[in-house]
Amino acid sequence: MHFFQHKDGVLYGEECSVEAIAREIGTPFYLYSYRTLVRHFETFDAAFSDLPHLVCYSAKANSNGAILKTFISRGGGIDIVSGGELFRALQAGANPAKIVYSGVGKREDEIRYALREGILLFNCESYQEPHVINGIAGTMGVKAPIALRVNPDIDPHTHPYIATGMKKAKFGIDIERAVSWYQEAKRLPHLTIGGVSCHIGSQLTETGPFTEAVTRVRELVLKLRAEGIAIDYVDLGGGLGITYHDEEPPDPREYAHAICEQGKDLRCTFIFEPGRVLVGNAGILVTRVLYTKEGEKNFVVVDAAMNDLIRPTLYGSYQEIVPVKKRKGEEMVADMVGPICESGDFLARDRVMPRFEPGDLVAIMSAGAYGFSMSSTYNSRPRVAEVLVQDAAFHLIRERESYADLIRGERIPSFLEGK
Ligand code: LLP
């Protein structure tokens, strides 16, 4: 459910005409709907009202400060994977006591930063990591709260690049070895064992793999408790999918139901790290048609490209193409492509779409998650603007980058200057 709809044939974000925004901001730009973000957060949060829980929005999906603040101001915590995400979360006003930190490669400076700020939990992903954190915490005179992120070896039935809870993935530690590693971690003087964590993959469209994961985590929690290891938090990660095309993912209530069955008597606080389900359908990418090429194969060339939205290129993902102004008349089968010098630069392939003409505005739907946050400046294309609509007003929440931004930080060594 989102608030991007056509009214009299023209696309609106809430009460704002997308055409009017494009006139003022230029194209391409990401457009997010505040009402949709709030609705998604509240629906997700309310689904778990029977369990003690904390919703830590996964910043990697979309780390714009205004988006982070939207969730933080509703009581949300943040799931981070880097020092940069910690910085962004704190800048947006996150309570460090609601920040959880996953990731297979935390550097010493990042661990130190997170310890200094007093985050809730480090989700450790290797044998060495708790030892490294213990050492750093010792030098700082603090105790570090940790969980081990276990890999329960479950097939989440999603794209292989975003399946994370199978043995062949780099993430987490083998659940079979977890008890002995917890026993060892418990003996480290500068750690406190806070919980268990697990994240099996992203864009999951069935409850089965989640149920399996929580069942395995539950068995582990019971074993750990039998060994005298207290577990206060169970972090089940993110991963709930959304509809891009014809997927029918469980809604947050069904997802919660699957988890609550196994979780309700565990006497711990559950942490969830949703990303895509909160922001995915709350954002669109607005682009303008530059040229059309008709022939054996048809192409619609637009001013957004794979550097702005890499999901179709990287995962072969489907993003719905919607004309900002509905046009009557014929349709055509075409590829929607960008200006980048690669044949892999496409936003849609062999898609039935209106017979677009140069100047038309197009909305690429479901682009709020892993859109801007995965964008780059490849081909020296400045990153696009981001806009947030709230009812009838729209707000620029990130300026379009300039050419000067492209070379910020670059240095020409003096030998090249002929000095
Ligand atoms: N927690 C952890 C530890 C994660 O690794 C992730 C996502 C999440 C939470 C949030 O997952 P979500 O609720 O958004 O599914 N770039 C890919 C998705 C990569 C997901 C990486 N980890 C895409 O565009 O589909």
Side-chain angles (χ1 to χ4, degrees):
M1 167 78 199
H2 59 74
F3 295 96
F4 296 103
Q5 257 101 37
H6 284 92
K7 295 180 196 172
D8 296 328
V10 179
L11 187 65
Y12 274 68
E14 302 189 15
E15 314 308 326
C16 283
S17 148
V18 172
E19 231 178 2
I21 303 173
R23 222 174 294 130
E24 190 160 326
I25 302 288
T27 55
F29 63 95
Y30 277 96
L31 180 64
Y32 310 117
S33 151
Y34 179 75
R35 204 188 291 163
T36 311
L37 294 168
V38 169
R39 187 191 154 96
H40 287 174
F41 183 86
E42 288 181 346
T43 307
F44 192 95
D45 196 35
F48 289 99
S49 55
D50 288 346
L51 281 185
H53 71 279
L54 177 61
V55 178
C56 292
Y57 165 63
S58 192
K60 64 180 81 64
N62 187 324
S63 51
N64 184 288
I67 307 279
L68 299 179
K69 211 173 186 69
T70 299
F71 300 134
I72 290 166
S73 62
R74 284 183 161 67
I78 303 289
D79 155 47
I80 60 165
V81 286
S82 67
E85 284 189 352
L86 175 56
F87 175 74
R88 282 180 177 279
L90 296 171
Q91 288 287 308
N95 176 354
K98 292 184 179 177
I99 293 179
V100 294
Y101 188 178
S102 300
V104 293
K106 303 179 188 77
R107 279 198 320 257
E108 180 176 336
D109 59 300
E110 294 176 309
I111 294 168
R112 205 172 279 283
Y113 181 20
L115 282 173
R116 209 165 50 233
E117 296 298 336
I119 67 163
L120 176 62
L121 208 54
F122 288 88
N123 292 331
C124 300
E125 305 213 22
S126 60
Y127 174 78
Q128 290 118 356
E129 191 182 328
H131 293 265
V132 170
I133 296 178
N134 176 63
I136 299 171
T139 64
M140 294 173 70
V142 296
K143 280 205 155 201
I146 66 135
L148 296 187
R149 172 171 170 184
V150 294
N151 182 329
D153 196 25
I154 289 167
D155 184 351
H157 306 144
T158 185
H159 191 284
Y161 289 3
I162 53 178
T164 51
M166 292 157 83
K167 272 207 175 123
K168 60 185 178 201
K170 68 176 175 177
F171 298 97
I173 62 155
D174 184 352
I175 197 163
E176 306 298 332
R177 301 161 88 174
V179 172
S180 70
W181 289 12
Y182 267 102
Q183 282 164 334
E184 208 171 309
K186 196 182 170 203
R187 288 195 289 273
L188 298 175
H190 309 294
L191 299 184
T192 53
I193 307 292
V196 175
S197 94
C198 165
H199 168 81
I200 57 171
S202 195
Q203 183 55 12
L204 272 66
T205 52
E206 327 161 357
T207 50
F210 288 119
T211 313
E212 255 185 86
V214 68
T215 305
R216 298 213 184 145
V217 167
R218 180 195 159 84
E219 283 164 12
L220 175 62
V221 170
L222 297 177
K223 271 192 214 159
L224 291 171
R225 286 188 177 150
E227 297 290 325
I229 297 170
I231 297 296
D232 295 329
Y233 291 98
V234 168
D235 180 344
L236 291 175
L240 186 56
I242 62 169
T243 302
Y244 285 97
H245 185 203
D246 51 10
E247 306 88 338
E248 291 179 359
D251 77 14
R253 276 174 298 267
E254 291 169 61
Y255 167 68
H257 184 72
I259 285 165
C260 291
E261 283 294 288
Q262 291 289 322
K264 57 181 182 287
D265 62 346
L266 259 193
R267 288 176 291 105
C268 59
T269 299
F270 282 83
I271 297 173
F272 299 99
E273 303 172 352
R276 188 189 318 263
V277 72
L278 299 190
V279 295
N281 281 323
I284 63 176
L285 173 61
V286 181
T287 180
R288 199 179 280 283
V289 176
L290 297 173
Y291 305 100
T292 57
K293 307 204 314 178
E294 290 187 35
E296 215 166 283
K297 192 162 167 75
N298 300 322
F299 295 97
V300 177
V301 185
V302 294
D303 64 0
M306 66 186 269
N307 70 299
D308 304 308
L309 178 65
I310 203 169
R311 302 195 69 259
T313 303
L314 195 55
Y315 315 112
S317 72
Y318 181 101
Q319 313 277 155
E320 197 185 340
I321 302 288
V322 165
V324 167
K325 220 173 181 170
K326 278 195 179 153
R327 47 163 64 245
K328 295 203 178 70
E330 290 176 69
E331 294 190 313
M332 68 195 286
V333 176
D335 284 11
M336 183 159 282
V337 301
I340 294 245
C341 304
E342 299 217 20
S343 298
D345 176 26
F346 56 85
L347 297 167
R349 268 197 153 163
D350 296 323
R351 193 75 70 78
V352 178
M353 58 180 84
R355 190 162 232 110
F356 285 115
E357 285 173 13
D360 285 348
L361 287 170
V362 178
I364 319 283
M365 305 303 285
S366 312
Y370 308 106
F372 187 92
S373 65
M374 292 180 81
S375 69
S376 75
T377 58
Y378 184 43
N379 275 202
S380 289
R381 290 167 48 85
R383 265 178 283 240
V384 305
E386 293 178 284
V387 179
L388 180 68
V389 287
Q390 186 204 18
D391 298 334
F394 67 89
H395 308 270
L396 185 64
I397 57 170
R398 194 178 208 273
E399 284 176 20
R400 186 178 306 286
E401 287 182 355
S402 65
Y403 290 150
D405 289 330
L406 289 176
I407 57 166
R408 195 164 64 89
E410 287 184 15
R411 302 271 189 281
I412 308 290
S414 55
F415 79 91
L416 285 176
E417 302 275 24
K419 287 175 195 158

